[in-house]
Amino acid sequence: SKSVEILIALAKCFGFLLVWLGVQFVLVQIMGVVIMLQNPTISAEGLKEAVYKYSLELTVDTNLIALIIFFLIYRIRGKSLLKKIDVSLPDKSSYAPVAIVGATGQFVTALILGLLMNVLNIFPQKWVDALNDASGAVTEGNPLLSFFAVVILAPLFEEILCRGLILSTLKKVMPKWYAIVISASIFGIIHGNP
């Protein structure tokens, strides 16, 4: 029945998210153990800060390992992940307009957030500090790794996960707009802004 098909599709989507979250959890645990072995007297707060210092590297590793796992799962099942996610490049004439719109959108978003956070002070200070900490983790350290992680790998992984796997799975069993809303909601939740 249609309800069973929808539940199976939602379960698959949940499984995709579990793979990604599971890889992230395991890598953070390994990083914590390594740090504690190097410094057995480290406090819980010190451990948290030490792991956080490597958040960019953990993000890169998580996304790469999750992608490898997705490819392996599909390969073992005798299917092609590339066919599932429908890897097709847009027309080259759309590259520049899309880049301009994306950069403009980022600039406007940064201006609005800056105004809301720093001038109007409408967000709790804890949220502002968390955003600043997260931004600092990206901008500190190796600029090439930051560029690779933020400009190439993260968007690529998010497109494969949210649009390629989740959206394509849901579109098979429900109306397109429902699938888009669910996929977009998952994307927002992943980024902490549903």
Side-chain angles (χ1 to χ4, degrees):
S1 88
K2 192 70 168 171
S3 330
V4 172
E5 289 178 6
I6 291 172
L7 287 174
I8 290 171
L10 289 170
K12 286 180 182 178
C13 295
F14 186 69
F16 297 138
L17 290 172
L18 279 180
V19 167
W20 177 67
L21 290 171
V23 169
Q24 194 170 47
F25 177 79
V26 168
L27 289 179
V28 167
Q29 299 310 309
I30 291 170
M31 177 67 71
V33 168
V34 168
I35 291 168
M36 288 190 307
L37 288 173
Q38 292 174 345
N39 185 0
T41 61
I42 194 166
S43 68
E45 187 62 32
L47 178 61
K48 179 181 165 188
E49 288 176 20
V51 169
Y52 189 76
K53 199 167 77 173
Y54 293 101
S55 62
L56 188 62
E57 290 85 351
L58 288 168
T59 300
V60 169
D61 294 345
T62 296
N63 291 347
L64 287 174
I65 292 170
L67 282 174
I68 291 168
I69 291 171
F70 292 146
F71 274 103
L72 289 175
I73 289 170
Y74 273 80
R75 180 157 216 129
I76 289 168
R77 295 178 60 218
K79 297 183 177 187
S80 169
L81 180 62
L82 294 178
K83 286 182 183 174
K84 169 74 173 175
I85 60 176
D86 186 25
V87 179
S88 56
L89 296 175
D91 181 23
K92 289 182 181 181
S93 65
S94 67
Y95 290 176
V98 167
I100 291 168
V101 168
T104 303
Q106 177 65 26
F107 179 74
V108 170
T109 301
L111 277 176
I112 292 170
L113 279 176
L115 176 70
L116 293 174
M117 287 187 330
N118 300 320
V119 177
L120 301 176
N121 296 319
I122 66 167
F123 295 118
Q125 189 60 40
K126 185 176 181 179
W127 292 7
V128 174
D129 293 342
L131 179 63
N132 290 335
D133 288 345
S135 299
V138 171
T139 57
E140 295 173 2
N142 184 334
L144 289 176
L145 180 62
S146 294
F147 178 83
F148 174 72
V150 174
V151 177
I152 297 171
L153 184 61
L156 177 67
F157 178 78
E158 291 163 0
E159 285 296 312
I160 290 172
L161 178 65
C162 292
R163 191 175 303 184
L165 293 172
I166 293 173
L167 181 60
S168 67
T169 299
L170 296 176
K171 280 194 321 187
K172 290 179 183 175
V173 298
M174 63 180 59
K176 182 180 179 180
W177 287 107
Y178 292 166
I180 289 171
V181 168
I182 292 171
S183 176
S185 298
I186 291 170
F187 180 85
I189 290 168
I190 288 172
H191 289 84
N193 55 0

